[in-house]
C-alpha cells in the first residue's frame, strides 16, 4: 500500500521527498508512521521501474532537494491498482482506506463503483473475530467484556461504512443521495 500511496500523492503533482513523506505519514495515521527505511527504497523501486522520475533542485541551505514526478507509466500503474485491488486490499480496513483516498482519480464512475461494491459485499458477509466451529459469534453471545467490546465497536464501524457505501452507490444511480437502512446484522 506504500507504493499506492506514493503514486496517488504524486498523481496530484510533483513533490519534494520530504513533503511526500509527510503526506504518506498523514494518510497512514500516527499509529503507522512510515520509516525512511521503507519509504526511500519504495521510491527507488518505483523510479527503477520507470513509474517516477527524480530530479534535484537547489535547497534553502545549499542542500539539494529531490523532486519526484509521476510518469505516464506511473499514472497507468496507479489506475490499474485502483481498478483491480487485490482481495486483501478490499478486506483490510487500512489498505482499503488507502485505495479510497485515491479512488476519485479513476475517471470512470462505474469502475469506482465496482471497487465500492466489492467492499460492500465483503462487509455484508457475516463474520466475527470469534467462532463456534464455523458459525460467527455475535457480541451478545460473548461473555468477556473486552471481546464483546471488540465486536460492538466493529459492528458500529461496519454499519457506518455500509450506510455510506449505500448512499454513494444508490445515490449516484438515482441522481441523489438517499438515506439507506443499516446493512445486514453482523458481528
Amino acid at each position: 500500500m506504500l507504493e499506492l500511496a506514493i503514486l496517488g500523492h504524486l498523481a496530484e503533482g510533483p513533490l519534494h521527498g520530504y513533503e511526500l513523506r509527510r503526506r504518506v505519514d498523514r494518510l497512514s495515521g500516527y499509529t503507522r508512521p512510515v520509516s525512511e527505511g521503507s519509504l526511500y527504497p519504495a521510491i527507488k523501486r518505483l523510479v527503477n521501474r520507470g513509474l517516477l522520475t527524480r530530479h534535484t533542485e537547489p535547497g534553502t541551505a545549499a542542500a539539494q532537494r529531490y523532486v519526484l514526478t509521476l510518469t505516464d507509466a506511473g499514472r497507468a500503474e496507479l489506475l490499474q491498482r485502483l481498478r483491480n485491488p487485490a482481495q486483501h486490499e478490499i478486506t483490510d480496513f487500512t489498505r482499503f482506506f488507502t485505495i479510497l483516498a485515491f479512488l476519485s482519480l479513476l475517471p470512470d464512475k462505474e469502475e469506482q463503483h465496482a471497487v465500492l461494491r466489492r467492499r460492500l459485499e465483503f462487509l455484508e458477509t457475516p463474520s466475527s473475530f470469534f467462532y463456534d466451529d464455523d458459525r460467527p459469534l455475535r457480541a451478545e453471545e460473548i461473555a468477556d467484556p473486552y471481546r464483546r467490546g471488540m465486536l460492538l465497536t466493529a459492528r458500529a464501524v461496519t454499519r457506518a461504512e455500509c450506510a455510506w457505501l449505500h448512499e454513494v452507490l444508490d445515490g449516484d444511480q438515482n441522481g441523489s443521495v438517499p438515506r439507506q437502512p443499516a446493512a445486514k446484522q453482523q458481528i
Side-chain angles (χ1 to χ4, degrees):
M1 292 319 311
L2 177 58
E3 288 184 1
L4 178 65
I6 293 168
L7 295 171
H9 283 298
L10 291 175
E12 298 168 350
L15 293 170
H16 295 280
Y18 174 76
E19 179 61 24
L20 176 62
R21 181 174 182 204
R22 282 185 48 219
R23 291 186 186 190
V24 170
D25 272 344
R26 288 177 179 163
L27 180 62
S28 61
Y30 68 91
T31 59
R32 291 185 176 188
V34 177
S35 71
E36 291 181 13
S38 54
L39 179 65
Y40 292 107
I43 290 171
K44 185 176 181 177
R45 286 190 305 273
L46 294 170
V47 167
N48 289 342
R49 291 175 48 206
L51 304 179
L52 306 178
T53 60
R54 182 172 69 179
H55 69 275
T56 58
E57 63 180 37
T60 56
Q64 292 185 337
R65 299 190 313 174
Y66 289 100
V67 176
L68 299 160
T69 304
L70 191 66
T71 65
D72 289 340
R75 183 169 301 281
E77 175 74 14
L78 169 64
L79 295 176
Q80 182 59 28
R81 287 181 182 209
L82 292 171
R83 274 185 199 103
N84 299 306
Q87 186 61 21
H88 70 278
E89 295 168 342
I90 294 292
T91 60
D92 180 271
F93 184 79
T94 303
R95 290 174 184 266
F96 182 71
F97 268 35
T98 302
I99 290 167
L100 202 56
F102 302 110
L103 196 58
S104 64
L105 296 173
L106 275 178
D108 184 340
K109 191 162 292 276
E110 186 52 41
E111 289 179 336
Q112 295 170 2
H113 285 198
V115 173
L116 297 180
R117 282 191 295 274
R118 286 180 61 198
R119 176 69 176 179
L120 184 60
E121 180 182 351
F122 163 71
L123 291 174
E124 289 183 336
T125 302
S127 66
S128 180
F129 296 111
F130 309 103
Y131 287 80
D132 180 10
D133 290 320
D134 290 333
R135 185 180 66 81
L137 294 175
R138 300 180 63 224
E140 295 75 14
E141 299 174 285
I142 302 289
D144 183 288
Y146 305 109
R147 289 183 176 193
R148 187 172 52 254
M150 287 173 60
L151 295 174
L152 291 172
T153 302
R155 179 189 293 165
V157 169
T158 297
R159 283 182 176 168
E161 188 177 348
C162 285
W164 174 78
L165 286 165
H166 278 290
E167 284 181 9
V168 171
L169 294 168
D170 298 342
D172 282 350
Q173 291 172 1
N174 302 328
S176 63
V177 181
R179 287 272 176 214
Q180 295 293 322
K184 289 190 269 184
Q185 186 73 15
Q186 295 187 51
I187 301 182

